[in-house]
Amino acid sequence: GEDVEQSLFLSVREGDSSVINCTYTDSSSTYLYWYKQEPGAGLQLLTYIFSNMDMKQDQRLTVLLNKKDKHLSLRIADTQTGDSAIYFCAEKPGNTGKLIFGQGTTLQVKP
Amino acid sequence: DGGITQSPKYLFRKEGQNVTLSCEQNLNHDAMYWYRQDPGQGLRLIYYSQIVNDFQKGDIAEGYSVSREKKESFPLTVTSAQKNPTAFYLCASRQTSGTSTDTQYFGPGTRLTVL
């Protein structure tokens, strides 16, 4: 079946790197996404990676994809207090128009 | 100013009343989606529509209804049959043609509280 798992909470110090992990189950997923949600707001797309890529870097964000283990990670370099939010991993299985979301990881950044 | 708008931001209703949440997009996207978010949980799909005048049930459609009469609009009605309607509701849209990355873009959400 389709399932996406994330750890629920991560706490880091300002300036450190944050690594948020995600596992998914559908090997036919073509795209995998990371979204950010600030309190009371909608989801903001951070980045995505195509399933035939291993890594994607975008400024402070690095996405690593291990397709064999169905493992996705988001690394945020030099984490700032403004990065405090909930981060959602999502996969798009096959030819469906649907996304499957993880439960979200709450990132707490301490000054 | 392109994007997805949802209104109202906060909505209060009495138990037993139907209520309709608005979602409008001017991105010319073909597909639109409704999700429900409860505290500490991920998003659960209620309904989605990939083309005008057509829509499909998601994972938790019971107690909800939708319509898609125009490409820009996808209103969601929360009926009195929905057992626990208090939640944060998110609308999204997606481009389905061209060089789409199948990314869904989200509106700001509507927080519904049933008293």
Side-chain angles (χ1 to χ4, degrees):
Chain A
E2 304 159 341
D3 198 13
V4 177
E5 297 283 339
Q6 297 178 241
S7 54
L8 295 182
F9 186 78
L10 176 66
S11 180
V12 301
R13 292 253 173 235
E14 192 173 16
D16 288 349
S17 292
S18 307
V19 180
I20 302 171
N21 294 300
C22 169
T23 57
Y24 61 98
T25 54
D26 196 319
S27 58
S28 73
S29 289
T30 50
Y31 287 98
L32 296 123
Y33 308 85
W34 284 103
Y35 286 88
K36 176 184 180 183
Q37 185 181 36
E38 296 184 358
L43 271 66
Q44 170 196 351
L45 177 71
L46 281 179
T47 188
Y48 64 89
I49 188 167
F50 190 48
S51 58
N52 68 354
M53 297 170 66
D54 298 323
M55 186 183 87
K56 181 178 181 182
Q57 187 152 6
D58 183 1
Q59 299 182 327
R60 291 191 297 122
L61 306 179
T62 303
V63 178
L64 295 178
L65 175 61
N66 181 329
K67 201 171 177 183
K68 174 177 168 289
D69 295 337
K70 300 190 186 69
H71 182 267
L72 184 73
S73 68
L74 173 70
R75 178 178 181 270
I76 305 173
D78 187 25
T79 312
Q80 303 298 306
T81 54
D83 295 323
S84 293
I86 303 174
Y87 291 81
F88 289 95
C89 166
E91 64 169 339
K92 180 191 171 299
N95 288 324
T96 74
K98 300 191 287 184
L99 293 184
I100 310 298
F101 286 87
Q103 314 95 301
T105 298
T106 297
L107 175 63
Q108 178 190 67
V109 182
K110 296 179 180 177
Chain B
D1 189 22
I4 303 171
T5 56
Q6 292 186 241
S7 61
K9 188 170 176 64
Y10 299 97
L11 190 54
F12 296 88
R13 279 294 182 268
K14 291 183 179 177
E15 198 170 332
Q17 289 182 333
N18 291 357
V19 61
T20 298
L21 281 61
S22 167
C23 177
E24 304 277 332
Q25 53 97 2
N26 60 5
L27 301 168
N28 201 33
H29 285 174
D30 296 302
M32 296 185 74
Y33 302 80
W34 274 107
Y35 293 91
R36 171 184 171 133
Q37 186 180 22
D38 293 284
Q41 296 191 31
L43 278 66
R44 292 185 289 168
L45 182 64
I46 304 172
Y47 267 99
Y48 64 106
S49 166
Q50 304 211 70
I51 196 168
V52 174
N53 292 322
D54 189 41
F55 49 82
Q56 289 79 39
K57 290 182 180 180
D59 301 316
I60 56 163
E62 186 176 348
Y64 299 98
S65 66
V66 293
S67 62
R68 187 86 187 277
E69 296 176 3
K70 298 187 298 182
K71 189 175 186 178
E72 305 80 27
S73 179
F74 191 40
L76 173 75
T77 297
V78 184
T79 75
S80 56
Q82 167 51 233
K83 296 284 183 259
N84 186 17
T86 294
F88 190 49
Y89 291 87
L90 287 159
C91 178
S93 70
R94 174 178 74 95
Q95 180 61 268
T96 59
S97 59
T99 56
S100 168
T101 58
D102 287 330
T103 299
Q104 291 187 20
Y105 295 92
F106 284 80
T110 292
R111 185 165 298 281
L112 172 64
T113 302
V114 175
L115 306 170

